[in-house]
Amino acid sequence: MSANSLKNSKQRSDVEDCYYVLTEIFGHSGYKGKQEQIIEAAIQGADVFVVAPTGMGKVPAAAEKHGITIVVSPLLALMKNQVASLRRRDIPVVAFTSETSQIEKKKIVDDLNSGHPENRLLYITPERLKTNDIMVLLDKVYAQGKLNRLVVDEAHCISEWGHDFRADYRRLGNFRGRYRDVPIMALTATATPGVQQDIIRSLKMSEEHLYRALHPFNRSNLFYEVRYMSVPEPVSQMADIFDYITTIYGRRGRPSSGVIYCRKRATCDELSRYLSTKGIRSKPYHRGVGSSTLDKTLKDWTLGGGSEAGQGIDVVVATIAFGLGIDKGDVRYIIHYDLPKSFEGYYQETGRAGRDGFPSKCILYYSREDATSVKHWVTSSHDSRLNLESDGPPPSQRSLDSLSSLLLFAENTDVCRHISVCRYFGEVINADDPNINKQYCDRMCDVCKYPEKTNRRIRKLSPRTVRPDLENDYRSRPGPSKLQSTPVYGTTKRGAPESARDNTKKIKISYAPALVTKPFSSASSLAKPFKPPFKPPLKAAIQPTEVQINRPSAQSLLQKNVTSDNDIIVIGDGDLLRDFTMKPDDNHLLDMPDIVIELDIPFSRKVPTDSRLRAFNKIRRALCGVFMIGPDHESWGHVEGAPAGYEARDAIISTVSKEVELTSLSMCSTTEGYEARITDIAYMMAQTFKQILKGEPGTDADEEYEDGREILETITRACKSRRKKKQERGPRSPR
């Protein structure tokens, strides 16, 4: 028999083995979509790139009789879930992570060191894979011809244009240089055409021997709905979520599995506690929860969604940043309590619903106040990466483009949401054809099923009157689909009868007009306009990135070296500085004059403006106590790029205080909670912030320590931004 015949015979045998594993081990009835072609390409040793909602790399690896497949994954939760699932099917699989016990690590090392590993799959993070110890072990496996394949899960993390770019993922391209003939498989559910090309190029995948499988992005069994709010109102929003969950329970006659995503850990805890007190089996899931508790939560959630009373968990309330990454088929609803940071993140998270093919619902709560907060957060995050990252490629503006496209998706009530999703990922769709529209959606979104109701609901949104820069993002920022010369959104109203389409007015979103009223007869006697009851009044026409200060400031009060001794602020030779004596009610704060600024999102009605101004000044006094007291203001020596001089440092403190206040506003649901958080932050800066400045260790579960690190990053970013602007302006010419 010729060599080619032997090779073909082996490949046929391998295909049969894969089919057996698929049907008998994993319990599927047969291949779906392009799964058969993907497996055949993998068996033939080709590089494989797959864009699909579920991974397809396990079957070829599990069917192998010799050698090991390396699976790179960014999520510990996903690895745990996959390893547990494979072990239940008696497939030899291990994971090498920070949570792997020392005994288990030794077994894995010994298995690899033999050169003939008995394990068929090794799950590992990109950070761990790049270490010299692991690469030396893989060298031994490769020398024996037992390194079967590299599978890169969540491959969009490779691309700096992806929504979750990670520098260590970018270095995975070195694998091909080290092991040239080992095939690579890249898997992702969210990748625009530009991101796809970047992934292939970064991994150095073979263009000549590359199989690309792009599954359709449309999930026709998902119902997309956007629920509009004038401003975030946590109490009513939580009640609305409870009503929805109990309604779906009532319709199905039993509990249902679901996931609720929140940006903040505190929100996860609060919402989960609220649902639990209402009788819904719910648990929070984020990095602030202990590892053993997370493991139990995942296990109980896998049992939930219709199990007997007292068993399992039905709802997991998780942070968007941490993610679940769990392949559970019967998730009936995904709720976004607030906005994700990207369109890809939204698509990926909603894609965890309805994997069994049955209808499921995806609800997004949306307000323009929240949109402004997220845009501010994404912009700050991007600037921080520009300033602080020295390793790997620089970040791009892709995150801002993606967020802008998500905001457009949320505010557009003219185009089917399914079509909007698919267009974002590069599909060219003729929405004017009713048959095509039905093929994509068939009344499975609020725009198509309730067009008039959806248009009425969007009128709840507050007018965009404060942040022109956000308006520019909505109207003119080029999203990825524009860059591909593909129309993103049309203007034809779908879902309404033909007769109703022409009569339905398109909502025009614009700045609110000036308020004009007919004056009373006594109006002429009013000589002065009304002013708020507190003084001084707010300054007007201040740019969002600038801080305007009413003097006197810290500059005029801190002209001498000052030290602290037993809660009494003393200057040099012992004279009491009465301007800076400690307050009896806030003995960790400096008693110094308040300043007045224009706060971000001043239209928010969640917390009164005067309370927000007091909070800003409370934070500012706490920061002054850290940075403006002591010989030569020594605390500034721990801040990279810190400016010199009272004026510059005073401006930095005011800018940072403004940003910390805005973050606190977005995290809290009541005025009482907001004021309590401000007090905690001020106390933290007096008690532990200097230790954080010096780099003394803390724990990720310590919220106080985490808040301190975030504030330190904000200060560093503000210093570097100020220096950059100063360099751009150049030296001042003498007068």
Side-chain angles (χ1 to χ4, degrees):
M1 185 178 290
S2 66
N4 285 336
S5 297
L6 287 171
K7 183 178 180 181
N8 292 335
S9 176
K10 182 182 184 305
Q11 288 179 356
R12 284 196 300 272
S13 176
D14 290 342
V15 170
E16 291 173 359
D17 289 343
C18 286
Y19 187 77
Y20 174 83
V21 169
L22 179 74
T23 55
E24 299 299 324
I25 304 300
F26 287 98
H28 297 295
S29 58
Y31 293 115
K32 292 183 179 180
K34 297 181 179 180
Q35 199 170 28
E36 183 175 8
Q37 295 92 319
I38 292 169
I39 290 174
E40 288 180 353
I43 290 171
Q44 292 170 9
D47 287 346
V48 178
F49 181 78
V50 181
V51 180
T54 56
M56 300 186 181
K58 297 186 291 291
V59 172
E64 294 278 5
K65 296 181 176 63
H66 306 282
I68 191 168
T69 294
I70 310 300
V71 182
V72 176
S73 175
L75 298 171
L76 292 178
L78 178 57
M79 283 193 269
K80 290 179 184 178
N81 179 257
Q82 295 289 339
V83 169
S85 175
L86 291 169
R87 284 179 175 172
R88 285 195 298 269
R89 295 173 169 85
D90 295 324
I91 297 171
V93 56
V94 289
F96 200 106
T97 72
S98 58
E99 296 186 4
T100 305
S101 68
Q102 291 300 320
I103 295 175
E104 182 74 7
K105 285 181 179 178
K106 186 178 185 306
K107 290 180 179 178
I108 295 171
V109 169
D110 291 342
D111 188 48
L112 294 173
N113 201 37
S114 70
H116 298 272
E118 295 182 1
N119 293 310
R120 293 293 164 260
L121 294 103
L122 169 62
Y123 281 81
I124 195 167
T125 62
E127 293 82 4
R128 181 79 62 173
L129 180 63
K130 73 175 184 179
T131 61
N132 184 62
D133 292 344
I134 294 296
M135 299 308 292
V136 168
L137 292 171
L138 293 186
D139 287 343
K140 294 183 178 181
V141 177
Y142 177 72
Q144 298 297 323
K146 302 301 181 183
L147 189 54
N148 293 340
R149 186 176 293 104
L150 173 69
V151 176
V152 182
D153 201 7
E154 308 293 345
H156 55 268
C157 296
I158 293 170
S159 174
E160 63 183 276
W161 290 91
H163 65 289
D164 280 327
F165 169 69
R166 286 172 62 165
D168 285 305
Y169 254 83
R170 194 71 163 182
R171 298 185 185 91
L172 292 176
N174 297 332
F175 187 93
R176 174 49 54 86
R178 193 164 182 140
Y179 312 113
R180 292 188 176 278
D181 55 342
V182 177
I184 297 174
M185 178 181 287
L187 309 171
T188 181
T190 54
T192 60
V195 173
Q196 294 170 27
Q197 286 301 118
D198 197 24
I199 292 171
I200 293 170
R201 183 172 56 253
S202 297
L203 286 175
K204 302 176 183 176
M205 301 176 80
S206 170
E207 292 284 357
E208 183 179 356
H209 302 287
L210 176 66
Y211 179 79
R212 299 179 65 164
L214 306 180
H215 281 240
F217 284 96
N218 190 38
R219 298 288 305 282
S220 58
N221 64 313
L222 301 185
F223 186 98
Y224 294 112
E225 178 185 345
V226 179
R227 297 196 174 184
Y228 300 105
M229 303 177 291
S230 57
V231 292
E233 296 176 352
V235 175
S236 60
Q237 189 175 339
M238 289 183 184
D240 191 63
I241 290 173
F242 170 75
D243 289 343
Y244 169 74
I245 294 175
T246 52
T247 298
I248 196 174
Y249 283 9
R251 288 175 179 174
R252 299 188 73 211
R254 58 189 173 91
S256 301
S257 287
V259 184
I260 305 174
Y261 285 105
C262 311
R263 284 199 307 276
K264 301 294 182 182
R265 299 180 193 179
T267 309
C268 291
D269 295 335
E270 187 175 356
L271 178 55
S272 180
R273 186 163 48 247
Y274 173 86
L275 294 175
S276 296
T277 58
K278 292 282 190 176
I280 293 177
R281 295 177 293 186
S282 170
K283 289 289 183 182
Y285 196 105
H286 54 71
R287 275 180 290 221
V289 179
S291 177
S292 59
T293 304
L294 291 181
D295 291 342
K296 187 177 187 306
T297 297
L298 285 178
K299 181 179 178 180
D300 291 347
W301 185 63
T302 304
L303 295 173
S307 61
E308 295 296 326
Q311 295 182 1
I313 293 169
D314 299 323
V315 185
V316 171
V317 188
T319 51
I320 295 169
F322 190 63
L324 278 169
I326 304 302
D327 186 8
K328 178 173 164 64
D330 62 343
V331 178
R332 295 276 69 89
Y333 59 90
I334 298 288
I335 297 175
H336 280 89
Y337 182 90
D338 36 31
L339 272 171
K341 64 181 181 181
S342 67
F343 204 125
E344 289 90 343
Y346 172 75
Y347 176 79
Q348 190 174 36
E349 287 144 16
T350 56
R352 289 171 185 144
R355 291 191 173 185
D356 55 6
F358 291 103
S360 301
K361 197 163 185 179
C362 305
I363 298 175
L364 170 65
Y365 285 88
Y366 179 82
S367 71
R368 288 186 180 141
E369 184 184 46
D370 189 41
T372 304
S373 297
V374 178
K375 177 184 178 295
H376 177 83
W377 180 79
V378 169
T379 304
S380 299
S381 176
H382 175 266
D383 291 344
S384 178
R385 287 179 61 192
L386 278 175
N387 290 330
L388 300 179
E389 282 191 359
S390 58
D391 246 359
S396 67
Q397 292 285 348
R398 178 70 178 80
S399 55
L400 295 174
D401 296 333
S402 181
L403 175 61
S404 295
S405 295
L406 180 60
L407 302 185
L408 281 168
F409 166 85
E411 297 220 4
N412 194 309
T413 58
D414 295 330
V415 178
C416 164
R417 303 216 189 266
H418 285 266
I419 290 178
S420 295
V421 168
C422 294
R423 281 178 170 172
Y424 175 81
F425 287 106
E427 292 189 32
V428 180
I429 304 169
N430 178 16
D432 293 328
D433 187 337
N435 293 325
I436 291 179
N437 187 79
K438 186 174 182 179
Q439 174 185 340
Y440 275 84
C441 181
D442 197 17
R443 293 167 61 84
M444 284 294 285
C445 76
D446 55 350
V447 171
C448 293
K449 190 170 185 178
Y450 312 112
E452 295 181 1
K453 183 190 293 186
T454 303
N455 274 291
R456 288 197 304 270
R457 285 176 173 176
I458 199 173
R459 294 170 188 166
K460 292 181 180 179
L461 294 179
S462 59
R464 287 198 290 272
T465 58
V466 179
R467 295 287 296 273
D469 56 325
L470 183 59
E471 176 74 11
N472 292 336
D473 278 337
Y474 279 103
R475 295 301 181 192
S476 61
R477 180 177 289 279
S481 296
K482 275 189 179 182
L483 296 175
Q484 299 155 14
S485 300
T486 303
V488 183
Y489 301 104
T491 56
T492 306
K493 187 167 294 299
R494 294 292 168 192
E498 289 290 335
S499 59
R501 292 180 189 173
D502 296 334
N503 297 328
T504 305
K505 290 185 178 180
K506 181 181 177 182
I507 294 178
K508 183 179 180 181
I509 303 172
S510 59
Y511 290 108
L515 180 64
V516 179
T517 60
K518 184 178 180 180
F520 288 99
S521 57
S522 60
S524 58
S525 62
L526 299 175
K528 297 182 179 179
F530 174 77
K531 290 184 179 180
F534 62 94
K535 295 180 181 181
L538 289 175
K539 296 287 182 179
I542 299 176
Q543 297 300 320
T545 57
E546 296 293 331
V547 176
Q548 181 165 327
I549 301 173
N550 287 345
R551 301 299 174 185
S553 71
Q555 176 190 359
S556 63
L557 299 170
L558 289 167
Q559 298 296 333
K560 299 181 180 181
N561 290 336
V562 182
T563 58
S564 175
D565 182 23
N566 298 325
D567 292 339
I568 299 178
I569 305 303
V570 181
I571 309 177
D573 58 1
D575 295 333
L576 180 66
L577 178 61
R578 300 193 180 279
D579 285 326
F580 279 82
T581 54
M582 295 296 186
K583 279 188 172 182
D585 56 337
D586 280 321
N587 61 6
H588 53 282
L589 298 181
L590 297 178
D591 186 6
M592 56 188 293
D594 287 352
I595 65 172
V596 178
I597 65 167
E598 176 78 2
L599 297 167
D600 281 328
I601 320 183
F603 58 86
S604 173
R605 297 191 294 271
K606 187 160 57 174
V607 177
T609 302
D610 55 345
S611 295
R612 292 186 62 192
L613 284 170
R614 286 196 299 270
F616 161 80
N617 281 287
K618 194 170 190 176
I619 296 168
R620 177 172 170 269
R621 290 198 299 271
L623 281 172
C624 282
V626 174
F627 287 100
M628 302 300 242
I629 302 299
D632 300 322
H633 304 170
E634 74 274 4
S635 291
W636 285 106
H638 299 288
V639 178
E640 183 182 356
Y646 291 102
E647 185 77 28
R649 292 177 175 182
D650 191 15
I652 290 292
I653 285 177
S654 295
T655 300
V656 171
S657 301
K658 182 181 178 185
E659 186 164 335
V660 172
E661 186 279 328
L662 177 64
T663 302
S664 300
L665 178 71
S666 65
M667 290 181 65
C668 299
S669 56
T670 64
T671 300
E672 292 77 13
Y674 165 83
E675 291 176 347
R677 176 168 174 78
I678 294 295
T679 299
D680 289 343
I681 289 175
Y683 186 77
M684 176 274 298
M685 284 190 278
Q687 296 296 315
T688 62
F689 195 61
K690 288 192 177 181
Q691 285 71 38
I692 296 171
L693 278 173
K694 296 174 183 177
E696 295 181 7
T699 62
D700 287 338
D702 186 348
E703 294 287 347
E704 180 180 286
Y705 184 82
E706 183 178 313
D707 287 340
R709 286 195 305 180
E710 290 178 358
I711 292 172
L712 178 56
E713 290 178 2
T714 303
I715 294 169
T716 304
R717 186 172 64 249
C719 291
K720 292 193 174 184
S721 176
R722 180 182 179 87
R723 188 174 70 241
K724 183 179 178 182
K725 290 179 180 178
K726 188 175 181 180
Q727 290 171 348
E728 290 174 351
R729 287 196 300 265
R732 294 183 179 179
S733 57
R735 295 186 177 182

